[in-house]
Every structure is written in C-alpha cells, then in structure tokens.
Amino acid sequence: ALCATALHGGHQSGAFNLPRPDEFKPPQECPVFEPSWEEFADPFAYINKIRPIAEKTGICKVRPPPDWQPPFACDVDRLHFTPRIQRLNELENVADEGGFDIVCRDRRWTAIALKMGFAPGKAVGSHLRSHYERLLYPYNLFQSGANLLEPTLPVDTSDKECKPPDLTERQHFVEPTESCCNSAHRAKWMRAEVDDLVVQSHTHLSEELLLKPVIQIAQLPCNHLLYSIPFKSLMKQEPIEPVSEADKNKSRYKKKTSIDVDLYMCLVCGSGSDEDRLLLCDGCDASYHTFCLIPPLHDIPKGDWRCPKCLAQECSKPQEAFGFEQAYRDYSLRAFGEMADSFKSDYFNMPVHMVPTELVEKEFWRLVSTIEEDVTVEYGADIASKEFGSGFPIKNGRFKVSEKDEKYLNCGWNLNNMAMMDPSVLTHVTADICGMTLPWLYVGMCFSSFCWHIEDHWSYSINYLHWGEPKTWYGAPGFAAEQLEAVMKKLAPELFQIQPDLLHQLVTIMNPNTLMSYGVPIYRTNQCAGEFVITFPRAYHSGFNQGFNFAEAVNFCTVDWMALGRQCVDHYRLLHRYCVFSHDEMICKMASKANSLDVVLASAVQKDMKDMIREEQDLRDKVRKMGVLHCEQAEYDLLQDDERQCAKCRTTCFLSAITCPCSPGQLVCLHHIQDLCSCPLTNYTLNYRFTLDDLYPMMNVVKQRAESYDEWASRVTETLEAKLDKKKSLSVFRSLINESESKMFPDNDLLRQLRLVTQDAEKCFSVAQQLLNGKRQTRYRCGGGKTQSQLTVQELRSFVRQLYNIPCSLPQAPKLKDLLNCIEDFQQHSEKVLMDEATGTAVIQSLLDVSFDFDVELPELPILRERLEQARWLEGVQQTSAQPSTLTLETMRRLIDQGVGLTPHPSVEKAMAHLQELLTVSEHWEEKTSILLKARPPPSIEVLSEAAEKVVGIPAYLPNCMMLKDSISRAREWLQEAEAFQDGDSIPLFDELSDMVIRGQAIPVQLDPLKHLEFLVAELQAWKESAAKIFLIKNSHFTLLEVLCPRFEVGAGSPKRKSKKAKDCSKKKMVKLDCLSDVEKALLETKDTTSALATLGEVRLREMWALSSLRAANESKLLPTADCMDLKVCVCQNPPMGAMLQCELCRDAFHSVCVRAPSDSRSAQAWLCPDCRRSEKPPLDKVMPLLASLQRIQVRLPEGDALHYLVERTVSWQHRARQVSASCGLPDLEENFTTSPSPWNRTSHDQMVFYTEQRCIPLQGLSVELEELMVEGLLLQVSLPEITQLYHVLLNGLGTHHTHGRTSQNPVYFKMLRFLSLQDGLKKEVVNGVEKKAKRRLEREALETERRDKAKKLQNKRQKMNKEKNLERRAASTSSSPRSDFSQSDDSEEEMAMCPAEGCQQPEGDEVDWVQCDGSCNQWFHQVCVGVTAELAEKEDYVCVSCTISDGR
C-alpha cells in the first residue's frame, strides 16, 4: 500500500524554498564518457580504457553514440510484479542523549527538537516527548529487557488494584497541538484521509506515462546518523488449531472460580485483581494486566498474543536479514506507472515532467531526515529478466526484431551478452550464478531508493536506463570502501553487531553529506534514459529514482578484478557470508584450459594461482601439524554449493575441507578446523580436490602461456625506454604491435602506450617526409572547420626536437635539421630583399620558388607575395604606359582597382596617383568628344579640329577621340569629293551620288554641300516614282528598269546570218548580259551616256534575235500537220483546245480562259500576251517631259539611260515608219479597220481541235524586213499611231481583191515591199561600224554557247541528224512556201551543231573553232575540217566548196 500521510497541502506554503541549515548539498559529479562508434564496438576494451579515470570515483556514466537506440523488447502487458514497501524515516535520536529517563530529568526535549531541525515553538519539546513515549519508548524497554523486571516501587497490600506510577499517562494519548510545525500538523489532519488517498492513487489513470527513474530511502537517529529498515521477523511458529474469537477471549481471560482463585496473577504488579483485564499469553500462559504493559493496551487484542518474555525469547534468536517488506498488491507495468505518476504529481502539485531533479533530490533527503512525515513508496526491484523478459532483444525471444535492429542481438552492450562475453571472467564459472550473469529489472517511482551496497564478490555492475525519468546515483571509490564502512559502524554499531554483513543487504542508507563530513569521497550523477552507469569493484553506491522509470542491470568481471575477487572471499570469510561461487574452483577451471586463455588472463590466473597454492600448502601443513592424519580425495566440483559450505564461515570449499565421522554432512574449511566438533583432531579427515603435485603442473602450464606475454611486455618496455643510439627503428615498433595482434595480447595500458608511441612516430615520419619532399599537407584545426595550416618555424624547431625525443629512431631527423637550417637562410635572404624597394619580380619569384620546398608556415611568405603583386602591378603599369594604344580607360580602371587592393607602398601610391590623373583627363576628353560627336546639328570641322588638337598629347587609347579624328579625316575627304563632283565635267551616276549622301550623313560634321546633294537624291527618287507611275502596269512584277530596257531573256535562239565584218570582234572579250543585274552593272560601269546607249544597243540586238527565234519556234509547233495533243502552249503549258488567242509578238497560242481576252475583238491594237505586254505603253508626249526633267538634274541613273535609249529607238522607228507610210500612201489612222478570221485559221479549223478568236498578221509571203519592222514596233514600250497603222496594213496586206472573177494582191503592200528593200540596201551601206561589230560579237557569242550545249547531245545521233538535214535541204530547195524562213531557222540550228564538210573529223571539247561560209549557204564549218586557221578566218572571207561551184567561182 502507498502510505503518504504528509503529502498534501503543505508544499504550497514554500517549504521547498525556505533554506535550512542542514539542506542537502549535492556531491561532485562523476565522470561522463561519450565513446565514438569505433570505441563503442568493444565494451570491455572501452571499460578497460576508461578504468584508470573512472575507478577513482567508483561510478561513471557512459553515453552511447546518438544512433545507438535498441528497441524495448520487454512484454509490457505480461510483466507483473509485487513491489517492496519503503518508509523514508525512522527516529533514533533520544538514545544518543542518555535515554528517556535522563532526557526527562534534564529536560532536554526542546534541545533535541531543535537539533532535529524543528522550528522553535510552543511546547515543541512536550509534543516530541509524547510521541516518543507512546511509540518508541516501549520498544527501547523491550529491547533492553527492562519491561521484564519485577516492579521495584512499593505496593500497598491493602489495595490489590494498585497501579504503577504514570500508568494513567501511558493510557491516554495526547494529540499534538496547533503549535506544532507545519509538517507535523499536516501529518495529523492528513492521516484521516489516507485511505481515500490510497484508493485514488491506485484507480486514477495518469494521462501521460512519464518514464523516469526513481529511488528509495530510510533514515537513522539524527540528521547525520544511519537509518536501517528491518524486514518483518521471520519467526517460526508452531501450527495452531483454528479457534473462534469467543474461544480465544474465553481462554485469554481467566474466570475466577472457587477452585483456583489466585492461580493467575499479573507478573508485573503481582496482583490477581481485575481479572477482566488480565491477558493470558498464547505462548507461555503468563498473565498480565492490560494497563501494566508498556505501552498499555486499551482493548483486548485480536488473534494470538505473546507476552514480553516470549517476544524477548523469539527476538533473541539469530536474525537472518533485515530489509524492506513486500507489498501486498500485484502491479502491471502500466498500473504501476499510473500510480507512480499520480503520486509524484500530487506530491509536488505539478506535472511530473516539470519537477526539477534538484528539487526532488533535496526533498528526498529532507524526508529521510524528517521524523514527522511518514512517506512510504514502492519499488519494483530485482525482477528477474529470465521470467519476464529482458528490455534488450535476445535471440529466439518473444520480441520480433526488425531487420534494422538485428545488430542489437549480438551487441556487446546488450546486457544479456555482456556478462558471458569472452573477456568476462564469469564465463569460466561452472556453477549456476544466474543471479549475477542474467540481468535484473528495476521499476522505480519517485523517492524509491537503493541503499548503500557493493556488488557480490566485489564485481563490476552496469545499469542501463531504458526509459523514464532519471535515476540519481551516489558512489564512493573502491579504495574508500573500508573508510565508508568504518563511518557507518561508528554511527550504528549495534546494527553491525547483530548483522556484520549489513551493508550487503541493501537496507541501509546514509546521507552522502554525512559521509562527506567524515572524509569519505562521494560522487553523484543523474542517469537519463538511454545512458549506462558502471560501478567498479568494491565501489559502494546508492541512489534513488526521480520518477517512474525502467532500468536493467547485470554484473560482470574483468581480468583486473581477479585479485580483488580473492580478497572478497577472505572478507566474506570474516563476515561469515555466503559466496555466490567458489573462487578457487573458477581459478582451477581456467587453469585446466590454459592454452585457450587470453595471455593477460593467463598471467592474472598464474599470479592468483600462485597465491592460492601457497596459502593451501600452508594450511595443509598446519593441519598436519595439528594432528590430522587421514586424507581423502573428494570431487567437490560435483557437489552443490550448499553441500560444501563451511559450517563456520559459510565459505564454499573446493580445494580442501575437514570432516569428522561424528558429523556426517558437515564440514569446515581449513581456517576453522577448531569449530567442527569436539572430537580429537586425529579423527578428522582432510578432504582434498587436488594434491599439490597436481596443482603445480597446472600452474606451470598457465605460467608458460603468460610468460609469452611477459616476454613481449619486457621487450616493449625496453623498447619504449631506450635512449639515444639505442632507440629502435619504426619497423621494430610495428613488429611488436603485429606480434600482439597475432598472439591476441590484451589491449592494456602497455599496448595502448606502444600503439600511441607508434602512431606518434608514424605521424612524425609522415610529416617529416612531407616536409622533406616539399609536399603540402592539409591539417584541420579542432572546431575551426577545414582550415589549412602548416607548421611554423618555431613549431618546426619543436618538431625536430620531438623527433630526437621520441623513443623511436627516424632517419628523417638529421635531414629535417638541415631543412631547418635552409629555412633560416631563406628568412635572412628574404629580410634583405624586403628592405630593398626596387627589387624586381624575378628576384622575389625566385625566393618564392625556393619556399615551395618548405612545407612550413613562413611569416615572410605573405609579405613576399604582397611585394610580388606590387612589383607585377608596377611592371604592368609601365608596360601599358609604354604602349598608349593599349592603355584604354578600362585598362586604367582595372589597374587602379588592382592597385587599391595592394598593400600600401610608396612606389605603388606614386603610380596610382599618375594613373588616377591620367584617367581623370581621359574621361574628361572622352565625355567632351562624345558630346561633340552626338551634337545636333553637328559642329563645324573647325570646332572639331580644335578639340582634336588638344587630345593629341594624351598618352592613352581614347575611342571617342579616335572617332573624332576619324570623323574629321572622313569629312575632309568627303568635302574634296563633293567639290570634285560639283566642278567635274562628267555627269555623275545616281548610285555614286546616293552613296556619297549616305556617307556624308554618317559623318558627325557639318557638311555644307550635303544638303544640295540630298536634294538631288530626293529629286531622282521622285523622278523614278513618276516614271514608274507612267510606265508600270498596276501590280506588275516588272521593275522600271526591266520595262525600259530591251528584253534580254527572250528564248535562246541565235542569229541566222552573220556579217563578214562581225568576225573582227568575235575573239574579243564580250560583256555578259544574261540578266537584269548584268545589264544594270554594265550601265553603271559605262563612263557616259553614249557608252550606255551602245550597251543597250547590244541588248536590243539580243532581243531581236531571240524574239525571232522564239517566233519561228512557236509558228513551227502550230503548223497544221503537228499533233495538237503533244503541244505545250499558253501559260498553263497544256495542249491547245477550243478558243485560243495568238500573241502578235511571240506568236504563241494562249487559252482565252487563261489570259484576259481583248475587250473588243475588233480592237485596233494588236493583242499581246502577258509576257509581251510589259508596260502601259504611254504616248511619247508623256515620256518626253520625263527625259527632259532628268536631263535638267544632270545625274545619270540606269533607268534614265534606258529611257533615253527607248526614246531614241522610238523616234528612229517612228521615222522609218513614217517614211514607209508616206511613200506607200497608207490610209489615215482614223479609218476604221475591221478584222475577220484569217484564211489560215479558217482553212485549218476543220483539221484542228482549236481555233483563234482574233486575226493575226499572216506571215506567208511576208518579208523579213517588214516583219522585223512590225516586231520592233510592238517591242516599243511607247504607244505610237504608226504602230497601229502598220499593224492594220500588215494584217490586211496579203488580203486579195476579187475583181471580175480573178484574184489580185494589195498594191499598197507591194509598194511597202519595194520601199523597204531600197531602205534596207541603203541601210546596209550606212550601218554604223560599231553596230556591225556588236552584231558580229553577239552572233559569235550566241553561236559558241549553242554549239557547246548541243555538241555532246548530237554526237551519238550523227547519222540520224544527217538524214534529217538532207531532207530539210531538199524541202528548202523545192518548197515555195512563204514559211520557208522557219524551216531555214530550224536547219540553221541543226547545221550549227553539225559540220557539213565531207569527212568531218568531229573535234571534241568546249573550245572548238568554227567558221561561217560567206557565200549563199551561210553554213558553219569546223576550221580544222576545212583547213582554215583562226587568223585567216578573222582576216579573210571564207566560201565553202559548194558555194564556189554554184556561184561559178
């Protein structure tokens, strides 16, 4: 049950805050270790590593790495336990003042109350006396036996019912008054509510299960004394028959009868009166008045009652143990947690997680020291993990471990594994010691405690707090164990007299401040969840829990424990305490498998065994001398431990024991031979497990195993202590470490020292090698991040000294000494260089290059690097200043920025000032020139020249200033060009003028002639727009130049006839005039208008020849004999069909649906196809003003030259046409001309699938000259009435007049023919020589082109082509058709491709020379086939053989 009689109501008054003189002062903190993962891997190695530090405090705390979090494997629902009850106070203070009577006589109650810490108040001493007399005084009397003495006071015989003095006082209980302290007052009124509190504590479910540690306590007499909590006496009682309550009362009170009147008398007062108040003892039938007992009984006790004598007799028996009594309620872990949290939160009146640990600690020790507050808590201690399961996961356990947590199954820090790991000595114990090797579970609550104790056999212990609130620990180091025991014995000697091993029972606690006041070193720690606490051998420890928590602990023993383990057995022998296992048996078991022992363990076993054999030999010799003669071997390792315990000291015997026939089953150790029995020693038998001859070989085997380690350890010690030239090399150290690993030597201090020295030597070796090799080494400062650092020179000196001081000999030591000397020389040289201000970069760089071989931190290096940067900067400034063309503003700014970042120096500052001044001036003029160049209107050339003169002396590259100079230069050149333009005799071209204007506009200088030139360009643009409006058809794709120039893209035919004079220029270089761009380029390249007109004349000849070929080809394909479906006509390139239109110029047929039909079929104008009708053909009177305005502007442009040529061509044609009209008497233009279908079309209409809608000029019988006149008239892009007149004349010229039944030709037509023939002869004589040459050249060019294109095509078809040529010749000679010209044109094309010479040699290649016959055939021959050279062909006329014969030459 939970007894908390003084928990409510009082703590809000500030009891926790009021300072007290005896307030608990926390001891010093114990060490806390945080191993790395590498260290944490081996628990025993790590514990051995920290042992030198931790064993000085007795306890230590270990925090695992943060990621080490084993799962909690205990079955919470299955775990049920019954806790122990712990009362936190007992009072034994009055005995120290002399006893009850002396304190009452001397009136010391008030002094005692003040000594106990009570505040002075009214009647505080009286209240304390009342409590003592009622509760503890009877126990003191009973303990001393005073209550069993006969009364010494006189008794009045006349009054048989006399009572001892103060009996009335003993029979009445005096309640404390209100003047009591607050705590006592709380105890009074809280006692009535305790039952309700207990029920509430057990039924209230805590909302949050706070898992924190707890501990328990009980207290002794005064504030500084020891407190012991006794177990209930385990009294052996005889079985009693069940008796009813009435029978018990009847037997207990003696009824007075006539037979035995005074047989029952009170043994205290000796009177038999008041029989109804006489009690009979159920043990000895003695009689006592209820009011004579101390303390008096007010009511008859229920059940069995024992008198003081029986109680004294029972209590005089040896007591087995003291301790905490068990509670009566069974808890589950959840129920206990709810109870524990409810208790703590109610006690401190705040949530459990908000209570400070310091407050709980002070309150715990206050409760231990307080007499009036009876606080009882429960502790679930020593719960066997074997029964309920460990908190750690185990193999094949009920708890299923996840894959990621399987590592905890075999982890050494898993307490299920630790005790039985190889480094633990307990693995060699064969007896059942599961109490030490299996973990125990501990479920604590607030204030539950574990008292001062040491572990069994002085072993190690390790405690892990799985979860919950902290557990507060107190510990004393092992060397202070005897001192602590002495203090406790001094303060409570009677308890140790009754039970010498009291401190082993975990029932005694003492305030750490009390122990510290006696000089005992005490350390404390708060163990939080997830932390380990390790206690070291013979280290006393105690503590309490801060709240609800769950912990687990186990024992283990290491090699260093061996010697202490034997001391512990000797200590137990003195205390007559049982041993958990036999130490000697364990040693012998280990010796029996010496070859498998660790060498360190073997060494420890050998030493322990040596002491064991020596002691055993001494004892056996002593026994023999005492007279024991019988010896017998006994297999004690086959007996249970309780069957071979010494009857005197309870030590478990193994090596030997003494037995006597008179006491079968009883034995004693050799130390207590006198305590076996009273028989003569000669009757005793010495029972032994091994003879001494058996033990020595066992020890030698262990010794041999251990000596290998000892020999190695001796060599290690010698190596580590070597001096000067006796030092060993690093390889020797490594070999020693390798030997320790191969022979599995222990990881002890010696090996760790060897490794440490070796590691230091290897580091020194590595650093020294790097220093000698000049390699950079990066080291990291602790906490400083990745900061590179190197050895300073001073550190290098220290390092060199260290190389000579380490116990290892390194070959780099003398070399490093030389390196140090080189570094010192470098420092001296650097100092001289830094003092010289004019040092060049080469010298500084050479010093820095030398420093690269020194892997040390040299203070001169940063200064040298700064000086190197300064020198490089100065050299850069000097180089750029020497080449002003590279010194830009950006370069100056960059140099200044670099100079700002340099360390100040006089030379740098001087150069910086010069650069800054130059930059300021340069920026000023750059800005000023930029303003001048961007000014609108632009400044004059004089202003810019003045500014340019001022920037000439600035030694820098200034883009704006350079642009200013360039602008002035370009302006002057432009002005000269403009002056030449204005003063020149030749008329400039428009493109030159436009280019000149564009260039002038790009010059940021005021140019006076520019406006005039811009005006001229604007006028020319306006002229071109006006001309385009007059000539161009709306939405036409032709340009103005295309319209005005003769057509140059018509067909690919060649002229039919060649003039003899044209041969003179056939070999000259010919101008390419294949497209508009060629014509435009040729016009631009001409020097004057005359040359331009000549060029256009060549284009006209091309136009006429090409159009003639095109007309012939189109007429040929439209012959009635042709297959119409194979023809490709019109813009759609489809066969002719239905109504067709025929162009008068190109003579091609067009579908009327594909082209725009004439608005009037009887129109006076000839119909032209879309390709032939290129312009609007304005009247000549509209064109002449255009030409006049252009001549006024005095600027040439290609369109102007073309218009000029067009006008001259038009006037020339008009003149010819008028001559023909005047000579022939043509009808007036106003005469209405009507058209009718042509006879050809009519006659062919029945034979063809198409017909033409309008009449065309019939070509049958039409002369070439008249046809050319009409064609050229239609080509003119100007409309003339003569063109229309000539069209109608030719359209009707071949028409017949039916007169009196006969047909006659039109006389006007014949007149025209005669006139044209005369004009043609005259024209031939007056033809301009230039035009003849041009014609000849064009003919030659066209011929050569056609010849090259067709030569290869016709080469493989020569026979076929010859046949066709013969047929065509016969047709030409016999036919009288007026369309023979078309056949001749076709023949000429074929003849041009084929040489008609007999025995043609068929020369190949692109450059084949041809010659034309100047006779009547006009055929072309290969020069090589007719034997004519190129020079002869140019100078003389050539007449072929056929023409020579036919002409009679």
Side-chain angles (χ1 to χ4, degrees), residues 551-563:
E552 187 170 354
V554 76
N555 296 103
F556 65 93
C557 297
T558 59
V559 177
D560 58 276
W561 163 87
M562 296 283 290

mmCIF file with all atom_site columns, all heavy atoms in Angstrom, residues 551-563:
data_model
loop_
_atom_site.group_PDB
_atom_site.id
_atom_site.type_symbol
_atom_site.label_atom_id
_atom_site.label_alt_id
_atom_site.label_comp_id
_atom_site.label_asym_id
_atom_site.label_entity_id
_atom_site.label_seq_id
_atom_site.pdbx_PDB_ins_code
_atom_site.Cartn_x
_atom_site.Cartn_y
_atom_site.Cartn_z
_atom_site.occupancy
_atom_site.B_iso_or_equiv
_atom_site.pdbx_formal_charge
_atom_site.auth_seq_id
_atom_site.auth_comp_id
_atom_site.auth_asym_id
_atom_site.auth_atom_id
_atom_site.pdbx_PDB_model_num
ATOM 1   N N   . ALA A 1 551 ? 14.715 0.241   -15.575 1.00 0.00 ? 551 ALA A N   1
ATOM 2   C CA  . ALA A 1 551 ? 16.156 0.043   -15.706 1.00 0.00 ? 551 ALA A CA  1
ATOM 3   C C   . ALA A 1 551 ? 16.458 -1.445  -15.705 1.00 0.00 ? 551 ALA A C   1
ATOM 4   O O   . ALA A 1 551 ? 15.634 -2.284  -15.323 1.00 0.00 ? 551 ALA A O   1
ATOM 5   C CB  . ALA A 1 551 ? 16.911 0.754   -14.592 1.00 0.00 ? 551 ALA A CB  1
ATOM 6   N N   . GLU A 1 552 ? 17.679 -1.749  -16.130 1.00 0.00 ? 552 GLU A N   1
ATOM 7   C CA  . GLU A 1 552 ? 18.133 -3.134  -16.206 1.00 0.00 ? 552 GLU A CA  1
ATOM 8   C C   . GLU A 1 552 ? 19.611 -3.154  -15.849 1.00 0.00 ? 552 GLU A C   1
ATOM 9   O O   . GLU A 1 552 ? 20.370 -2.262  -16.270 1.00 0.00 ? 552 GLU A O   1
ATOM 10  C CB  . GLU A 1 552 ? 17.895 -3.685  -17.610 1.00 0.00 ? 552 GLU A CB  1
ATOM 11  C CG  . GLU A 1 552 ? 18.182 -5.167  -17.750 1.00 0.00 ? 552 GLU A CG  1
ATOM 12  C CD  . GLU A 1 552 ? 17.692 -5.712  -19.085 1.00 0.00 ? 552 GLU A CD  1
ATOM 13  O OE1 . GLU A 1 552 ? 17.032 -4.953  -19.833 1.00 0.00 ? 552 GLU A OE1 1
ATOM 14  O OE2 . GLU A 1 552 ? 17.956 -6.889  -19.377 1.00 0.00 ? 552 GLU A OE2 1
ATOM 15  N N   . ALA A 1 553 ? 20.038 -4.158  -15.050 1.00 0.00 ? 553 ALA A N   1
ATOM 16  C CA  . ALA A 1 553 ? 21.420 -4.201  -14.586 1.00 0.00 ? 553 ALA A CA  1
ATOM 17  C C   . ALA A 1 553 ? 21.912 -5.636  -14.577 1.00 0.00 ? 553 ALA A C   1
ATOM 18  O O   . ALA A 1 553 ? 21.130 -6.590  -14.500 1.00 0.00 ? 553 ALA A O   1
ATOM 19  C CB  . ALA A 1 553 ? 21.533 -3.595  -13.188 1.00 0.00 ? 553 ALA A CB  1
ATOM 20  N N   . VAL A 1 554 ? 23.237 -5.770  -14.650 1.00 0.00 ? 554 VAL A N   1
ATOM 21  C CA  . VAL A 1 554 ? 23.871 -7.076  -14.616 1.00 0.00 ? 554 VAL A CA  1
ATOM 22  C C   . VAL A 1 554 ? 25.287 -6.902  -14.094 1.00 0.00 ? 554 VAL A C   1
ATOM 23  O O   . VAL A 1 554 ? 25.848 -5.797  -14.148 1.00 0.00 ? 554 VAL A O   1
ATOM 24  C CB  . VAL A 1 554 ? 23.866 -7.713  -16.020 1.00 0.00 ? 554 VAL A CB  1
ATOM 25  C CG1 . VAL A 1 554 ? 24.911 -7.078  -16.918 1.00 0.00 ? 554 VAL A CG1 1
ATOM 26  C CG2 . VAL A 1 554 ? 24.066 -9.220  -15.955 1.00 0.00 ? 554 VAL A CG2 1
ATOM 27  N N   . ASN A 1 555 ? 25.876 -7.992  -13.597 1.00 0.00 ? 555 ASN A N   1
ATOM 28  C CA  . ASN A 1 555 ? 27.254 -7.989  -13.107 1.00 0.00 ? 555 ASN A CA  1
ATOM 29  C C   . ASN A 1 555 ? 28.186 -8.583  -14.162 1.00 0.00 ? 555 ASN A C   1
ATOM 30  O O   . ASN A 1 555 ? 27.779 -9.390  -14.994 1.00 0.00 ? 555 ASN A O   1
ATOM 31  C CB  . ASN A 1 555 ? 27.374 -8.797  -11.817 1.00 0.00 ? 555 ASN A CB  1
ATOM 32  C CG  . ASN A 1 555 ? 26.583 -8.176  -10.685 1.00 0.00 ? 555 ASN A CG  1
ATOM 33  O OD1 . ASN A 1 555 ? 25.504 -8.633  -10.343 1.00 0.00 ? 555 ASN A OD1 1
ATOM 34  N ND2 . ASN A 1 555 ? 27.119 -7.133  -10.086 1.00 0.00 ? 555 ASN A ND2 1
ATOM 35  N N   . PHE A 1 556 ? 29.452 -8.185  -14.087 1.00 0.00 ? 556 PHE A N   1
ATOM 36  C CA  . PHE A 1 556 ? 30.486 -8.783  -14.934 1.00 0.00 ? 556 PHE A CA  1
ATOM 37  C C   . PHE A 1 556 ? 31.825 -8.583  -14.245 1.00 0.00 ? 556 PHE A C   1
ATOM 38  O O   . PHE A 1 556 ? 31.967 -7.737  -13.350 1.00 0.00 ? 556 PHE A O   1
ATOM 39  C CB  . PHE A 1 556 ? 30.484 -8.169  -16.334 1.00 0.00 ? 556 PHE A CB  1
ATOM 40  C CG  . PHE A 1 556 ? 30.858 -6.717  -16.373 1.00 0.00 ? 556 PHE A CG  1
ATOM 41  C CD1 . PHE A 1 556 ? 32.172 -6.303  -16.583 1.00 0.00 ? 556 PHE A CD1 1
ATOM 42  C CD2 . PHE A 1 556 ? 29.890 -5.738  -16.187 1.00 0.00 ? 556 PHE A CD2 1
ATOM 43  C CE1 . PHE A 1 556 ? 32.503 -4.970  -16.618 1.00 0.00 ? 556 PHE A CE1 1
ATOM 44  C CE2 . PHE A 1 556 ? 30.224 -4.395  -16.229 1.00 0.00 ? 556 PHE A CE2 1
ATOM 45  C CZ  . PHE A 1 556 ? 31.526 -4.007  -16.433 1.00 0.00 ? 556 PHE A CZ  1
ATOM 46  N N   . CYS A 1 557 ? 32.794 -9.389  -14.624 1.00 0.00 ? 557 CYS A N   1
ATOM 47  C CA  . CYS A 1 557 ? 34.119 -9.333  -14.019 1.00 0.00 ? 557 CYS A CA  1
ATOM 48  C C   . CYS A 1 557 ? 35.166 -9.360  -15.133 1.00 0.00 ? 557 CYS A C   1
ATOM 49  O O   . CYS A 1 557 ? 35.044 -10.125 -16.090 1.00 0.00 ? 557 CYS A O   1
ATOM 50  C CB  . CYS A 1 557 ? 34.355 -10.519 -13.078 1.00 0.00 ? 557 CYS A CB  1
ATOM 51  S SG  . CYS A 1 557 ? 33.233 -10.553 -11.674 1.00 0.00 ? 557 CYS A SG  1
ATOM 52  N N   . THR A 1 558 ? 36.178 -8.533  -14.988 1.00 0.00 ? 558 THR A N   1
ATOM 53  C CA  . THR A 1 558 ? 37.269 -8.477  -15.957 1.00 0.00 ? 558 THR A CA  1
ATOM 54  C C   . THR A 1 558 ? 38.553 -8.973  -15.311 1.00 0.00 ? 558 THR A C   1
ATOM 55  O O   . THR A 1 558 ? 38.575 -9.356  -14.133 1.00 0.00 ? 558 THR A O   1
ATOM 56  C CB  . THR A 1 558 ? 37.444 -7.040  -16.467 1.00 0.00 ? 558 THR A CB  1
ATOM 57  O OG1 . THR A 1 558 ? 37.714 -6.187  -15.358 1.00 0.00 ? 558 THR A OG1 1
ATOM 58  C CG2 . THR A 1 558 ? 36.182 -6.541  -17.170 1.00 0.00 ? 558 THR A CG2 1
ATOM 59  N N   . VAL A 1 559 ? 39.614 -8.975  -16.078 1.00 0.00 ? 559 VAL A N   1
ATOM 60  C CA  . VAL A 1 559 ? 40.883 -9.530  -15.594 1.00 0.00 ? 559 VAL A CA  1
ATOM 61  C C   . VAL A 1 559 ? 41.387 -8.766  -14.372 1.00 0.00 ? 559 VAL A C   1
ATOM 62  O O   . VAL A 1 559 ? 41.914 -9.364  -13.412 1.00 0.00 ? 559 VAL A O   1
ATOM 63  C CB  . VAL A 1 559 ? 41.913 -9.492  -16.738 1.00 0.00 ? 559 VAL A CB  1
ATOM 64  C CG1 . VAL A 1 559 ? 43.260 -10.002 -16.252 1.00 0.00 ? 559 VAL A CG1 1
ATOM 65  C CG2 . VAL A 1 559 ? 41.433 -10.319 -17.908 1.00 0.00 ? 559 VAL A CG2 1
ATOM 66  N N   . ASP A 1 560 ? 41.232 -7.449  -14.395 1.00 0.00 ? 560 ASP A N   1
ATOM 67  C CA  . ASP A 1 560 ? 41.757 -6.662  -13.275 1.00 0.00 ? 560 ASP A CA  1
ATOM 68  C C   . ASP A 1 560 ? 41.021 -6.957  -11.969 1.00 0.00 ? 560 ASP A C   1
ATOM 69  O O   . ASP A 1 560 ? 41.485 -6.574  -10.896 1.00 0.00 ? 560 ASP A O   1
ATOM 70  C CB  . ASP A 1 560 ? 41.646 -5.176  -13.604 1.00 0.00 ? 560 ASP A CB  1
ATOM 71  C CG  . ASP A 1 560 ? 40.218 -4.766  -13.891 1.00 0.00 ? 560 ASP A CG  1
ATOM 72  O OD1 . ASP A 1 560 ? 39.777 -4.936  -15.040 1.00 0.00 ? 560 ASP A OD1 1
ATOM 73  O OD2 . ASP A 1 560 ? 39.546 -4.266  -12.982 1.00 0.00 ? 560 ASP A OD2 1
ATOM 74  N N   . TRP A 1 561 ? 39.873 -7.625  -12.046 1.00 0.00 ? 561 TRP A N   1
ATOM 75  C CA  . TRP A 1 561 ? 39.097 -7.946  -10.837 1.00 0.00 ? 561 TRP A CA  1
ATOM 76  C C   . TRP A 1 561 ? 39.663 -9.158  -10.095 1.00 0.00 ? 561 TRP A C   1
ATOM 77  O O   . TRP A 1 561 ? 39.332 -9.385  -8.937  1.00 0.00 ? 561 TRP A O   1
ATOM 78  C CB  . TRP A 1 561 ? 37.644 -8.205  -11.254 1.00 0.00 ? 561 TRP A CB  1
ATOM 79  C CG  . TRP A 1 561 ? 36.825 -8.919  -10.218 1.00 0.00 ? 561 TRP A CG  1
ATOM 80  C CD1 . TRP A 1 561 ? 36.131 -8.375  -9.192  1.00 0.00 ? 561 TRP A CD1 1
ATOM 81  C CD2 . TRP A 1 561 ? 36.625 -10.339 -10.122 1.00 0.00 ? 561 TRP A CD2 1
ATOM 82  N NE1 . TRP A 1 561 ? 35.509 -9.339  -8.446  1.00 0.00 ? 561 TRP A NE1 1
ATOM 83  C CE2 . TRP A 1 561 ? 35.805 -10.572 -9.005  1.00 0.00 ? 561 TRP A CE2 1
ATOM 84  C CE3 . TRP A 1 561 ? 37.074 -11.420 -10.875 1.00 0.00 ? 561 TRP A CE3 1
ATOM 85  C CZ2 . TRP A 1 561 ? 35.412 -11.849 -8.634  1.00 0.00 ? 561 TRP A CZ2 1
ATOM 86  C CZ3 . TRP A 1 561 ? 36.685 -12.687 -10.501 1.00 0.00 ? 561 TRP A CZ3 1
ATOM 87  C CH2 . TRP A 1 561 ? 35.857 -12.898 -9.388  1.00 0.00 ? 561 TRP A CH2 1
ATOM 88  N N   . MET A 1 562 ? 40.531 -9.951  -10.733 1.00 0.00 ? 562 MET A N   1
ATOM 89  C CA  . MET A 1 562 ? 40.944 -11.238 -10.164 1.00 0.00 ? 562 MET A CA  1
ATOM 90  C C   . MET A 1 562 ? 41.487 -11.112 -8.748  1.00 0.00 ? 562 MET A C   1
ATOM 91  O O   . MET A 1 562 ? 41.066 -11.824 -7.836  1.00 0.00 ? 562 MET A O   1
ATOM 92  C CB  . MET A 1 562 ? 41.998 -11.863 -11.079 1.00 0.00 ? 562 MET A CB  1
ATOM 93  C CG  . MET A 1 562 ? 41.495 -12.210 -12.464 1.00 0.00 ? 562 MET A CG  1
ATOM 94  S SD  . MET A 1 562 ? 40.525 -13.700 -12.482 1.00 0.00 ? 562 MET A SD  1
ATOM 95  C CE  . MET A 1 562 ? 41.793 -14.905 -12.176 1.00 0.00 ? 562 MET A CE  1
ATOM 96  N N   . ALA A 1 563 ? 42.393 -10.192 -8.560  1.00 0.00 ? 563 ALA A N   1
ATOM 97  C CA  . ALA A 1 563 ? 42.994 -10.054 -7.222  1.00 0.00 ? 563 ALA A CA  1
ATOM 98  C C   . ALA A 1 563 ? 41.955 -9.605  -6.210  1.00 0.00 ? 563 ALA A C   1
ATOM 99  O O   . ALA A 1 563 ? 41.932 -10.088 -5.059  1.00 0.00 ? 563 ALA A O   1
ATOM 100 C CB  . ALA A 1 563 ? 44.150 -9.059  -7.282  1.00 0.00 ? 563 ALA A CB  1
#
